[in-house]
Amino acid sequence: MMLGYLLARAGVEVTVLEKHADFFRDFRGDTIHPATTDVLGELGLLEEFLRLPHTEIPELRLGIDGQTFGLVDFRHLPTRCKFMAFMPQWDFLNFLASQARQYPAFRLEMSTEATGLLRRGEQVIGVRARTNDGEIEIRADLTVACDGRFSLIREHTDLPLREFAMPIDVLWFRVPRSQDAPPTLGYLGGGQVVLAIDRGDYWQCGTIVGKGTLPQIQAAGLAAFRERVAHAAPFLAAGLAALTDWDQVKLLSVRSNRLRRWYEPGLLCIGDAAHAMSPAGAAGVNYAIADAVATANHLAVPLRTGTIAVADLQRLQRRREPAVRRAQALQRQQTRQLARLSQGNPPIQLMRLISNTPPVKRLLGRIVGLGFRREHIHGPLLTNHQ
């Protein structure tokens, strides 16, 4: 959606396909980092964006057995917003769509699912898609796969994919809000890691479990599951009684991978379609948006002039891949640590040391909040082509 908005803003005719009739999908990435809000500021959208309901988190904190430790500090970043924003992804997508619709070059096709690629020899020239009215073909100078970690478009290519073993999965569920809690994102206790995102009248919760262990957890029963979650986050205890069926608990199979080559003639993969990110550090949405900004910066002119070439796609991968590699390497370390935390005693002394060392918290704030390579709006994207 961000790429579609940026290209249309630069005068490139663009069609965005969304297979569902709306954007309402629970348990998707909600974190909008300071680097992303800076991009919105460069586009002149930040003030309107911040009028949408959201939660501002200037410091990521972890609660352990009744103690709270501040670990990641965004308050000293050289950015417009010195906080991480939590906003339901459907609100963010609707906001971007509403902005993009102001441009005549933008078209959003809902209830339209890409099912395959159109080719002319080795060149991708568009997609086949399924709509409520039947099958259609959409032709394009460049097809961009933004369809996530289980990308269907990617499956229709021979692009080589490298998978990284992940030791955890995440179980997501809702808990009715029965009492307030401190502005803490994570809770740890009894070998359970719990995330709790404030949704106003409910908590959107996630808990870290061992990879492939859901059947054993289900076999132990919902009562045992509720007890483990409440041990880590006692303020959820009353609301957890609302969990009465395993259908209310959704499995996120944690996956991390990276394409060795993100493109072929006429086709580019970005975001999770090119490099699936672990939920550790909540970085996936923001690296995807950085991909979109870099793609629009580099490709708007050749797309507008009809001169797009494979060399343009190669340059884009060369720009974005080093940052992605570093982020995924860090995430693998974070994910292994999460797995250890969910199996043993929490390292309270280490948490206390970090919490009491402001320079370390600020450094972690830069890494989490800005990523390893920030992308800024420049060139034709600064001009409105209304």
Side-chain angles (χ1 to χ4, degrees):
M1 190 62 70
M2 176 63 84
L3 178 59
Y5 164 73
L6 292 174
L7 290 177
R9 179 185 172 106
V12 177
E13 290 191 11
V14 58
T15 300
V16 175
L17 307 186
E18 166 57 50
K19 72 176 181 179
H20 299 287
D22 58 43
F23 297 122
F24 190 83
R25 302 290 168 274
D26 215 344
F27 311 129
R28 298 173 91 170
D30 293 338
T31 57
I32 301 172
H33 292 213
T36 296
T37 47
D38 254 19
V39 166
L40 295 174
E42 292 166 1
L43 293 166
L45 303 179
L46 182 58
E47 184 176 344
E48 187 174 351
F49 168 80
L50 291 176
R51 287 199 289 266
L52 297 173
H54 68 283
T55 303
E56 298 178 2
I57 306 293
E59 184 181 36
L60 294 182
R61 303 172 70 83
L62 181 67
I64 304 178
D65 292 331
Q67 303 179 66
T68 302
F69 303 95
L71 302 178
V72 181
D73 189 353
F74 302 116
R75 292 171 295 186
H76 303 274
L77 291 178
T79 53
R80 293 168 175 82
C81 296
K82 301 180 189 301
F83 54 81
M84 179 184 288
F86 280 81
M87 178 183 292
Q89 194 175 105
W90 53 86
D91 286 343
F92 190 26
L93 287 167
N94 280 321
F95 172 76
L96 291 176
S98 69
Q99 298 298 325
R101 288 189 182 99
Q102 300 176 33
Y103 297 94
F106 180 84
R107 190 173 72 178
L108 173 60
E109 298 291 347
M110 305 297 290
S111 300
T112 304
E113 180 181 9
T115 58
L117 293 171
L118 299 174
R119 295 180 181 273
R120 182 186 299 122
E122 297 298 316
Q123 179 85 17
V124 173
I125 59 171
V127 297
R128 296 183 182 85
R130 182 185 300 115
T131 73
N132 292 335
D133 297 321
E135 303 288 331
I136 62 172
E137 294 184 352
I138 302 174
R139 296 177 183 270
D141 293 335
L142 179 66
T143 297
V144 185
C146 308
D147 53 340
R149 64 188 59 217
F150 299 105
S151 171
L152 183 145
I153 293 299
R154 189 181 63 208
E155 290 179 3
H156 287 264
T157 73
D158 294 322
L159 295 175
L161 183 68
R162 181 182 180 185
E163 288 279 355
F164 302 100
M166 289 284 107
I168 64 169
D169 286 328
V170 180
L171 302 180
W172 286 106
F173 50 95
R174 290 187 182 196
V175 174
R177 185 172 182 147
S178 58
Q179 66 180 77
D180 288 333
T184 303
L185 178 62
Y187 300 86
L188 183 60
Q192 196 72 40
V193 181
V194 176
L195 309 176
I197 301 172
D198 185 358
R199 284 279 198 242
D201 58 349
Y202 69 93
W203 299 99
Q204 178 173 315
C205 298
T207 186
I208 307 298
V209 300
K211 171 67 71 175
T213 62
L214 179 58
Q216 296 96 297
I217 294 170
Q218 290 175 324
L222 266 173
F225 177 72
R226 291 193 296 261
E227 183 178 348
R228 288 173 60 189
V229 172
H231 189 101
F235 70 94
L236 295 174
L240 283 165
L243 281 183
T244 59
D245 193 293
W246 283 111
D247 287 341
Q248 297 170 271
V249 180
K250 308 300 181 183
L251 172 68
L252 169 64
S253 180
V254 173
R255 189 177 185 186
S256 178
N257 58 42
R258 186 173 63 246
L259 286 174
R260 298 181 188 275
R261 179 164 46 86
W262 299 11
Y263 59 87
E264 57 183 57
L267 174 71
L268 173 67
C269 298
I270 63 172
D272 272 1
H275 48 78
M277 310 289 280
S278 158
V285 171
N286 299 279
Y287 275 85
I289 288 191
D291 283 357
V293 173
T295 300
N297 280 335
H298 282 69
L299 303 186
V301 169
L303 283 170
R304 200 168 61 205
T305 57
T307 59
I308 188 75
V310 168
D312 298 309
L313 310 182
Q314 292 172 331
R315 281 192 291 271
L316 177 68
Q317 180 177 345
R318 284 199 299 269
R319 178 175 181 83
R320 291 298 306 153
E321 187 174 24
V324 169
R325 284 176 174 268
R326 294 174 68 187
Q328 287 185 324
L330 176 61
Q331 283 190 324
R332 289 196 293 276
Q333 296 176 13
Q334 293 170 323
T335 303
R336 286 193 290 268
Q337 181 64 28
L338 285 172
R340 285 193 290 269
L341 289 175
S342 65
Q343 295 170 0
N345 295 322
I348 290 181
Q349 294 303 322
L350 175 60
M351 297 297 105
R352 183 175 290 116
L353 176 62
I354 295 174
S355 186
N356 292 329
T357 311
V360 174
K361 294 196 297 182
R362 294 176 188 178
L363 175 61
L364 293 174
R366 291 189 68 92
I367 294 172
V368 174
L370 303 183
F372 286 113
R373 182 165 200 169
R374 296 178 66 184
E375 299 291 349
H376 297 277
I377 303 298
H378 64 73
L381 304 187
L382 294 173
T383 304
N384 286 321
H385 288 72
Q386 295 276 10

